[in-house]
Amino acid sequence: MEKSIDDFILDLKDSDDFVREEAIGSLELKGEEAVEPLIAALDERDKNIKLGAIEVLKAIGDKRAIPALVKTLGDRNKLVRREASTALTTMGDEAIGLVLAELDSPKWRVRGAACWILGALGAEEALPKLEELLNDESSFVQYGAKDAINRLQNE
């Protein structure tokens, strides 16, 4: 009997690396069919499910994942936030608008991640807001804004 998409998503939290890798590979092969369940998996409590879901969503590259990945920038787990940031940098111009809005987030981690993503995406429209964030209360955000500005001005 072949496993379902939901079964593979549950396998993402298995303690066996081979089981997790098989699940990731199988979900990637499912492609578009797996996108909505993977987006829903980003709301799971288990960080390994989230990390696996992000990896597969990044590999598939379906733009429907952008809003959920942006929401995941506020996750309590550092690895999950970092992987969501990395995945968003692969989503292209379609991600810019939603990420740009996160520069106003009340969470400094989200603002900092948004700076980094926008710099990686080459989002020149973010420059005015990034310049404002050079004076942010968080040094993490200040550093992210400075890095993004440098990237954007050196392209």
Side-chain angles (χ1 to χ4, degrees):
M1 183 170 106
E2 187 178 331
K3 287 186 174 184
S4 71
I5 289 172
D6 290 337
D7 291 333
F8 285 125
I9 289 173
L10 287 175
D11 284 348
L12 294 173
K13 68 177 180 179
D14 198 280
S15 60
D16 186 325
D17 289 343
F18 293 109
V19 172
R20 285 195 312 273
E21 288 301 318
E22 179 188 352
I24 287 169
S26 297
L27 288 165
E28 285 179 14
L29 289 173
K30 298 278 186 189
E32 283 187 23
E33 178 186 356
V35 171
E36 292 298 332
L38 287 165
I39 289 170
L42 294 177
D43 289 330
E44 293 286 332
R45 291 184 57 91
D46 187 279
K47 77 171 167 62
N48 291 318
I49 288 179
K50 292 178 192 180
L51 289 169
I54 292 167
E55 183 177 337
V56 177
L57 288 168
K58 178 182 170 190
I60 294 171
D62 192 301
K63 308 304 184 209
R64 291 177 290 170
I66 293 171
L69 290 168
V70 169
K71 179 180 166 200
T72 305
L73 294 176
D75 195 87
R76 63 191 167 122
N77 184 283
K78 181 180 183 176
L79 289 173
V80 171
R81 291 191 308 268
R82 184 174 25 198
E83 291 307 311
S85 295
T86 302
L88 283 163
T89 66
T90 68
M91 293 290 174
D93 291 347
E94 291 90 338
I96 292 173
L98 286 176
V99 175
L100 193 56
E102 294 304 312
L103 292 176
D104 292 320
S105 172
K107 297 178 180 179
W108 62 268
R109 288 183 175 103
V110 174
R111 292 192 309 276
C115 291
W116 183 79
I117 295 163
L118 292 164
L121 288 171
E124 291 182 9
E125 60 267 47
L127 278 169
K129 185 64 180 176
L130 290 168
E131 289 171 359
E132 284 178 35
L133 291 175
L134 291 173
N135 298 314
D136 193 90
E137 62 199 34
S138 163
S139 60
F140 178 75
V141 176
Q142 292 172 14
Y143 178 79
K146 184 176 183 178
D147 180 67
I149 290 168
N150 288 338
R151 285 175 158 216
L152 294 170
Q153 291 178 339
N154 290 327
E155 286 188 349

